[in-house]
Amino acid sequence: SAKNSTISRLLFTFFLFLGTLVSIIMIIPGVEKELHKLPGFCRGSDSVLGVQADVDCSGFLGHKAVYRMGFATAAFFFLFAVLMVCVRSSKDPRAAIQNGFWFFKFLLLVGLTVGAFYIPDGSFTSVWFYFGVVGSFLFILIQLILLIDFAHSWSQLWLRNADESNAKGWYAALCTVTSIFYAASITAIALLYVYYTKPQGCTEGKVLISINLILCLIISAVSILPKIQEAQPHSGLLQASLITLYTIFITWSALANVPTQECNPTLLLRNSTGSAADPQLTTWWDAPSIVGLVVFILCTLFISIRSSDHTQVNKLMLTEESGAGAGTEAAAESGAHRAYDNEQEGVSYSYSFFHLCLLLAALYIMMTLTNWYRPDDSLQVLHSPWTAVWVKISSSWAGLLLYVWTLVAPLVLPQRDFS
């Protein structure tokens, strides 16, 4: 038996993963070339990304398809986010829509997808790019909140196990994992300096890597200050090392969008004939995109199945398990393999906020699969804009600031309970 709330979250997440899978299939080179057979999708339409019909748009097909799929998925979750505002318990008639009618929801998603492919091009891609940028920035912050929460919970669990069992092995495991994270971060920073900077030039890359390196050193030092340790005995280098590693990943992802070929060996320029600047780079995929896809999957699953050990995070993410025990008796009555209603006294998570998170996740994966590329002013080349670089870097700074706040908040606000 399982809770209704868990089953519903997993099924909505499955819809998101289904849309992601369709998007991935559409950017496989063999499939992308066949998309021009869709009626009006390439040649024969009034315009393609604002380009007249006599221009070959085969280089834009995958980009265009992913944007349409991203729009359909985001619209699906936006619809449910609005529909589920202020649902307090399963006694609300709208809760039945949230927790049932899955076949009709699937039909709705299919209908939105089909409709999205008939959206006139015009300025759609340019406008939707900025929606994707904002949504991705917010989803990266959600990722960082979940990561900080996970790091604190991980450290507390292992330290509690060490205290209860008086075993040195838990401390050895903490030291080992922390050392691995820092070793991976140092290696990654060295590789970023080697591959994304040059002795002469590439000043932006050098500055961004150096700033984030200094900030990571600062948060590591702050996490073990005596005052911080006194206020938060469970804070330590394990959390700082994990946040450092993720910050370096965000930095790498940002540098992979630097639009200068000399400073970005992974840059791929695609023109309107579908050829690449480097014949070896024939797909949309690069290493940061693959890692970003893995992080996306883990975070969305994390959102779907877990409630935090920390009440502050539950309040922020609106996942307080207030009605968690309401359906225990119903579980016993309904049999071993049936979902039971555990939300009669109160919902166990905010329906609207959950759909908002999946909406932001849909925008994030749309941008990740297209490498944050967009058409240039001539509408002949898909290029990587500086916007992507600064959004990712600023999100890493916001995440570091958030982590520092979790450390110093008990000192700044001594009258509040942070236990």
Side-chain angles (χ1 to χ4, degrees):
S1 61
K3 299 173 184 176
N4 243 355
S5 57
T6 304
I7 296 294
S8 297
R9 282 184 282 184
L10 286 174
L11 285 172
F12 275 114
T13 303
F14 170 75
F15 283 157
L16 176 62
F17 287 168
L18 187 64
T20 303
L21 180 62
V22 172
S23 297
I24 291 172
I25 291 172
M26 286 178 173
I27 56 175
I28 295 174
V31 177
E32 182 181 2
K33 292 178 181 177
E34 297 298 318
L35 288 176
H36 72 276
K37 295 180 181 178
L38 290 174
F41 195 58
C42 188
R43 291 185 178 277
S45 61
D46 293 335
S47 64
V48 178
L49 301 173
V51 185
Q52 294 305 310
D54 59 346
V55 176
D56 181 9
C57 69
S58 57
F60 294 138
L61 284 173
H63 182 280
K64 182 178 177 182
V66 171
Y67 266 50
R68 295 306 194 274
M69 192 68 226
F71 176 83
T73 311
F76 176 79
F77 290 117
F78 177 76
L79 179 64
F80 279 97
V82 173
L83 187 62
M84 297 299 161
V85 170
C86 295
V87 174
R88 303 298 183 193
S89 73
S90 60
K91 296 174 184 176
D92 190 312
R94 291 174 294 169
I97 301 175
Q98 169 78 4
N99 298 316
F101 303 101
W102 296 105
F103 177 71
F104 296 102
K105 290 173 185 173
F106 177 74
L107 290 183
L108 175 62
L109 181 58
V110 171
L112 287 170
T113 302
V114 173
F117 277 79
Y118 286 94
I119 296 175
D121 291 295
S123 58
F124 170 79
T125 300
S126 300
V127 173
W128 194 239
F129 170 82
Y130 288 106
F131 275 92
V133 166
V134 174
S136 299
F137 175 82
L138 295 175
F139 188 71
I140 291 173
L141 291 185
I142 290 175
Q143 287 180 353
L144 286 161
I145 292 170
L146 295 174
L147 189 69
I148 292 168
D149 175 44
F150 173 73
H152 280 299
S153 298
W154 186 3
S155 177
Q156 288 174 13
L157 176 64
W158 282 17
L159 288 173
R160 186 165 59 245
N161 289 342
D163 291 338
E164 291 174 355
S165 62
N166 293 321
K168 302 292 184 184
W170 290 107
Y171 292 111
L174 269 173
C175 293
T176 301
V177 172
T178 302
S179 300
I180 291 173
F181 285 161
Y182 274 123
S185 300
I186 292 169
T187 303
I189 289 170
L191 291 174
L192 290 181
Y193 276 118
V194 170
Y195 288 103
Y196 290 92
T197 65
K198 300 290 182 187
Q200 304 295 327
C202 300
T203 306
E204 297 91 347
K206 294 175 185 175
V207 170
L208 294 177
I209 297 171
S210 300
I211 288 175
N212 276 4
L213 172 59
I214 293 169
L215 291 176
C216 288
L217 291 173
I218 291 173
I219 66 162
S220 298
V222 169
S223 68
I224 55 175
L225 289 175
K227 285 281 189 183
I228 299 294
Q229 290 287 308
E230 183 182 341
Q232 293 207 60
H234 290 118
S235 71
L237 290 177
L238 175 64
Q239 298 97 310
S241 65
L242 186 57
I243 300 302
T244 295
L245 186 60
Y246 187 76
T247 300
I248 301 305
F249 160 66
I250 294 292
T251 307
W252 174 36
S253 180
L255 293 175
N257 279 112
V258 171
T260 309
Q261 189 78 57
E262 296 76 22
C263 304
N264 181 5
T266 59
L267 182 67
L268 171 61
L269 292 176
R270 295 180 64 118
N271 60 31
S272 60
T273 62
S275 61
D278 184 342
Q280 294 180 339
L281 296 174
T282 56
T283 70
W284 286 101
W285 293 100
D286 58 6
S289 296
I290 294 172
V291 177
L293 180 63
V294 172
V295 172
F296 154 78
I297 292 172
L298 293 176
C299 283
T300 47
L301 286 175
F302 206 66
I303 292 169
S304 301
I305 64 177
R306 183 178 181 275
S307 289
S308 175
D309 297 331
H310 304 105
T311 55
Q312 288 87 2
V313 177
N314 277 327
K315 288 175 183 175
L316 182 64
M317 302 298 290
L318 303 179
T319 55
E320 191 76 53
E321 291 289 343
S322 57
T328 309
E329 296 82 2
E333 296 172 4
S334 61
H337 302 291
R338 296 208 29 144
Y340 61 89
D341 185 1
N342 65 310
E343 299 179 307
Q344 292 179 3
E345 301 302 322
V347 295
S348 60
Y349 64 101
S350 168
Y351 291 172
S352 288
F353 190 80
F354 172 70
H355 289 300
L356 181 61
C357 287
L358 294 190
L359 187 159
L360 299 177
L363 294 175
Y364 172 80
I365 201 62
M366 178 188 79
M367 300 302 289
T368 299
L369 292 179
T370 57
N371 287 357
W372 297 64
Y373 287 6
R374 62 173 299 186
D376 66 356
D377 293 334
S378 67
L379 298 170
Q380 296 296 304
V381 177
L382 286 171
H383 73 117
S384 179
W386 276 104
T387 307
V389 179
W390 289 112
V391 166
K392 292 178 180 181
I393 288 294
S394 58
S395 66
S396 73
W397 293 342
L400 290 171
L401 188 62
L402 189 63
Y403 174 64
V404 170
W405 175 249
T406 67
L407 298 178
V408 303
L411 300 176
V412 177
L413 302 170
Q415 72 278 10
R416 289 186 57 183
D417 179 20
F418 287 94
S419 60

mmCIF file of all heavy atoms in Angstrom, residues 42 48 60 80 82 103 115 122 205 240 256-257 294 304 331 339 359 366 408:
data_model
loop_
_atom_site.group_PDB
_atom_site.id
_atom_site.type_symbol
_atom_site.label_atom_id
_atom_site.label_comp_id
_atom_site.label_asym_id
_atom_site.label_seq_id
_atom_site.Cartn_x
_atom_site.Cartn_y
_atom_site.Cartn_z
ATOM 1 N N CYS A 42 8.862 22.801 -41.235
ATOM 2 C CA CYS A 42 10.106 23.422 -41.726
ATOM 3 C C CYS A 42 9.791 24.159 -43.014
ATOM 4 O O CYS A 42 9.213 25.228 -42.992
ATOM 5 C CB CYS A 42 11.168 22.347 -41.931
ATOM 6 S SG CYS A 42 12.793 23.039 -42.319
ATOM 7 N N VAL A 48 9.942 30.379 -40.332
ATOM 8 C CA VAL A 48 10.573 29.468 -39.386
ATOM 9 C C VAL A 48 11.517 30.283 -38.530
ATOM 10 O O VAL A 48 12.503 30.820 -39.027
ATOM 11 C CB VAL A 48 11.340 28.348 -40.127
ATOM 12 C CG1 VAL A 48 12.031 27.438 -39.124
ATOM 13 C CG2 VAL A 48 10.385 27.545 -40.996
ATOM 14 N N PHE A 60 17.692 24.044 -37.315
ATOM 15 C CA PHE A 60 16.889 24.522 -36.196
ATOM 16 C C PHE A 60 15.850 23.503 -35.728
ATOM 17 O O PHE A 60 15.153 23.743 -34.750
ATOM 18 C CB PHE A 60 16.129 25.799 -36.591
ATOM 19 C CG PHE A 60 17.015 26.972 -36.865
ATOM 20 C CD1 PHE A 60 16.757 27.810 -37.937
ATOM 21 C CD2 PHE A 60 18.107 27.230 -36.062
ATOM 22 C CE1 PHE A 60 17.569 28.904 -38.190
ATOM 23 C CE2 PHE A 60 18.924 28.319 -36.308
ATOM 24 C CZ PHE A 60 18.662 29.156 -37.371
ATOM 25 N N PHE A 80 -2.343 23.055 -13.889
ATOM 26 C CA PHE A 80 -2.654 22.397 -12.623
ATOM 27 C C PHE A 80 -2.241 23.258 -11.427
ATOM 28 O O PHE A 80 -2.880 23.201 -10.371
ATOM 29 C CB PHE A 80 -1.970 21.031 -12.558
ATOM 30 C CG PHE A 80 -2.731 19.964 -13.290
ATOM 31 C CD1 PHE A 80 -2.393 19.625 -14.590
ATOM 32 C CD2 PHE A 80 -3.801 19.327 -12.693
ATOM 33 C CE1 PHE A 80 -3.097 18.646 -15.281
ATOM 34 C CE2 PHE A 80 -4.520 18.351 -13.366
ATOM 35 C CZ PHE A 80 -4.165 18.008 -14.665
ATOM 36 N N VAL A 82 -2.491 26.485 -11.226
ATOM 37 C CA VAL A 82 -3.582 27.447 -11.042
ATOM 38 C C VAL A 82 -4.827 26.746 -10.508
ATOM 39 O O VAL A 82 -5.512 27.240 -9.597
ATOM 40 C CB VAL A 82 -3.887 28.157 -12.377
ATOM 41 C CG1 VAL A 82 -5.136 29.029 -12.240
ATOM 42 C CG2 VAL A 82 -2.698 28.999 -12.822
ATOM 43 N N PHE A 103 -5.685 8.984 -17.119
ATOM 44 C CA PHE A 103 -5.787 8.813 -18.566
ATOM 45 C C PHE A 103 -6.149 10.129 -19.241
ATOM 46 O O PHE A 103 -5.594 10.498 -20.283
ATOM 47 C CB PHE A 103 -6.829 7.733 -18.891
ATOM 48 C CG PHE A 103 -7.050 7.538 -20.364
ATOM 49 C CD1 PHE A 103 -6.074 6.948 -21.161
ATOM 50 C CD2 PHE A 103 -8.226 7.970 -20.963
ATOM 51 C CE1 PHE A 103 -6.280 6.784 -22.528
ATOM 52 C CE2 PHE A 103 -8.440 7.813 -22.324
ATOM 53 C CZ PHE A 103 -7.459 7.212 -23.112
ATOM 54 N N GLY A 115 -0.842 20.728 -30.107
ATOM 55 C CA GLY A 115 -1.144 22.138 -30.337
ATOM 56 C C GLY A 115 0.097 23.012 -30.367
ATOM 57 O O GLY A 115 0.181 23.959 -31.157
ATOM 58 N N GLY A 122 7.239 33.295 -35.728
ATOM 59 C CA GLY A 122 7.367 34.706 -35.364
ATOM 60 C C GLY A 122 8.410 34.927 -34.297
ATOM 61 O O GLY A 122 9.560 34.526 -34.418
ATOM 62 N N GLY A 205 36.731 34.066 -18.222
ATOM 63 C CA GLY A 205 36.813 32.731 -17.650
ATOM 64 C C GLY A 205 37.714 32.681 -16.432
ATOM 65 O O GLY A 205 37.371 32.077 -15.405
ATOM 66 N N ALA A 240 30.084 21.721 3.245
ATOM 67 C CA ALA A 240 30.835 22.701 2.455
ATOM 68 C C ALA A 240 31.459 22.046 1.224
ATOM 69 O O ALA A 240 31.486 22.644 0.138
ATOM 70 C CB ALA A 240 31.914 23.350 3.321
ATOM 71 N N ALA A 256 30.877 26.564 -20.345
ATOM 72 C CA ALA A 256 30.545 25.841 -21.578
ATOM 73 C C ALA A 256 29.597 26.637 -22.464
ATOM 74 O O ALA A 256 29.334 26.238 -23.598
ATOM 75 C CB ALA A 256 29.925 24.493 -21.232
ATOM 76 N N ASN A 257 29.088 27.768 -21.967
ATOM 77 C CA ASN A 257 28.234 28.642 -22.764
ATOM 78 C C ASN A 257 28.936 29.928 -23.198
ATOM 79 O O ASN A 257 28.310 30.787 -23.830
ATOM 80 C CB ASN A 257 26.963 29.010 -21.997
ATOM 81 C CG ASN A 257 25.900 27.936 -22.069
ATOM 82 O OD1 ASN A 257 25.574 27.291 -21.090
ATOM 83 N ND2 ASN A 257 25.362 27.718 -23.267
ATOM 84 N N VAL A 294 21.281 14.466 -15.367
ATOM 85 C CA VAL A 294 21.302 13.559 -14.210
ATOM 86 C C VAL A 294 20.863 14.308 -12.947
ATOM 87 O O VAL A 294 20.051 13.814 -12.159
ATOM 88 C CB VAL A 294 22.706 12.953 -14.022
ATOM 89 C CG1 VAL A 294 22.780 12.162 -12.717
ATOM 90 C CG2 VAL A 294 23.067 12.053 -15.198
ATOM 91 N N SER A 304 9.639 14.741 -5.395
ATOM 92 C CA SER A 304 8.432 13.924 -5.479
ATOM 93 C C SER A 304 8.231 13.004 -4.286
ATOM 94 O O SER A 304 7.103 12.758 -3.879
ATOM 95 C CB SER A 304 8.470 13.077 -6.761
ATOM 96 O OG SER A 304 8.552 13.905 -7.891
ATOM 97 N N ALA A 331 -5.580 2.486 5.141
ATOM 98 C CA ALA A 331 -4.624 1.594 4.503
ATOM 99 C C ALA A 331 -4.881 0.155 4.900
ATOM 100 O O ALA A 331 -4.816 -0.761 4.086
ATOM 101 C CB ALA A 331 -3.203 1.991 4.895
ATOM 102 N N ALA A 339 -3.590 2.292 -3.116
ATOM 103 C CA ALA A 339 -3.240 3.614 -2.591
ATOM 104 C C ALA A 339 -4.347 4.051 -1.637
ATOM 105 O O ALA A 339 -5.529 3.850 -1.904
ATOM 106 C CB ALA A 339 -3.107 4.609 -3.731
ATOM 107 N N LEU A 359 6.931 22.787 -13.267
ATOM 108 C CA LEU A 359 6.950 23.764 -14.372
ATOM 109 C C LEU A 359 8.359 24.318 -14.564
ATOM 110 O O LEU A 359 8.869 24.385 -15.697
ATOM 111 C CB LEU A 359 5.954 24.886 -14.069
ATOM 112 C CG LEU A 359 5.668 25.948 -15.131
ATOM 113 C CD1 LEU A 359 4.335 26.618 -14.837
ATOM 114 C CD2 LEU A 359 6.751 27.023 -15.204
ATOM 115 N N MET A 366 14.361 22.058 -20.783
ATOM 116 C CA MET A 366 14.296 22.606 -22.140
ATOM 117 C C MET A 366 15.568 23.375 -22.477
ATOM 118 O O MET A 366 16.142 23.202 -23.559
ATOM 119 C CB MET A 366 13.073 23.524 -22.262
ATOM 120 C CG MET A 366 12.905 24.200 -23.601
ATOM 121 S SD MET A 366 11.586 25.433 -23.596
ATOM 122 C CE MET A 366 12.421 26.820 -22.804
ATOM 123 N N VAL A 408 25.047 31.178 9.482
ATOM 124 C CA VAL A 408 25.134 32.347 10.367
ATOM 125 C C VAL A 408 23.789 32.776 10.927
ATOM 126 O O VAL A 408 23.739 33.580 11.861
ATOM 127 C CB VAL A 408 25.792 33.543 9.641
ATOM 128 C CG1 VAL A 408 27.165 33.168 9.119
ATOM 129 C CG2 VAL A 408 24.910 34.049 8.505
#
